[in-house]
Amino acid sequence: MHWSSRASGNDRLRTSVLSAVRQAMSCLPGDDLIAALESAVYYKAISLAEFEQTVNSAPEHLRSLLHEADARAQSGYETHARLRLRRAGHRVDPQVFVPGVGHVDNVVDDVVDLETDGREFHADSFAEDRLRDMGCEWFGLRVLRIPATLVLTDWDRIEETVCRMVAAGPSSRTR
């Protein structure tokens, strides 16, 4: 719970998502703030215009950080992975469309599709996810499919694996 004297109305225990995100600017670590902002857009709790306005009107000390936000992300784990990989020097594109596959989580250096799977959305899609992986192979993308929670608990191993996959280059099929 976080308190602000700026709360409006009679109910100080409720606020809009946009107000909550703006309040989070004063207390969340940077990457968590970006993940919260992106999730608010993905879940349509705030509009794209509100997203852009929030980024552009952020306090000066947060503005450059929030310009790393990308409204295409679909989960906080994807956000954390993207930010960490970019800071390690990789080019990372979120939610890339692959013909016959659909959108994939994060494409790293045009070589690796890093899929961050949470139980909530992937428990019943084992076979479908493997078909998507095969489809990516046809376009030269190597797939690394990880449990989403590992992004926060075992990042070094993930980053090392992505680096090795990028260094080895695309799969045998060219894009």
Side-chain angles (χ1 to χ4, degrees), residues 4 106 138 141:
S4 171
N106 280 308
W138 278 93
L141 281 175

Side-chain angles (χ1 to χ4, degrees), residues 35-55:
L37 182 59
E38 292 177 356
S39 292
V41 173
Y42 175 69
Y43 287 106
K44 297 182 181 7
I46 66 172
S47 70
L48 193 52
E50 290 169 320
F51 168 87
E52 291 169 357
Q53 195 272 334
T54 300
V55 168

Side-chain angles (χ1 to χ4, degrees), residues 91 96-98 107 109-111 138-141 170 173-175:
R91 187 179 70 258
V96 172
F97 181 78
V98 177
V107 174
D109 295 326
D110 291 327
V111 174
W138 278 93
F139 285 91
L141 281 175
R173 180 98 176 179
T174 57
R175 294 175 100 184

Side-chain angles (χ1 to χ4, degrees), residues 52-118:
E52 291 169 357
Q53 195 272 334
T54 300
V55 168
N56 292 329
S57 67
E60 187 67 38
H61 71 281
L62 291 176
R63 205 165 296 146
S64 63
L65 173 76
L66 288 181
H67 279 289
E68 295 182 65
D70 190 311
R72 296 174 291 173
Q74 292 188 352
S75 84
Y77 293 110
E78 288 177 30
T79 298
H80 280 276
R82 183 189 80 243
L83 295 172
R84 290 173 179 189
L85 288 167
R86 282 186 179 166
R87 291 177 189 144
H90 295 279
R91 187 179 70 258
V92 185
D93 297 309
Q95 294 302 314
V96 172
F97 181 78
V98 177
V101 174
H103 288 89
V104 297
D105 291 352
N106 280 308
V107 174
V108 184
D109 295 326
D110 291 327
V111 174
V112 177
D113 165 25
L114 178 61
E115 291 291 316
T116 51
D117 294 350

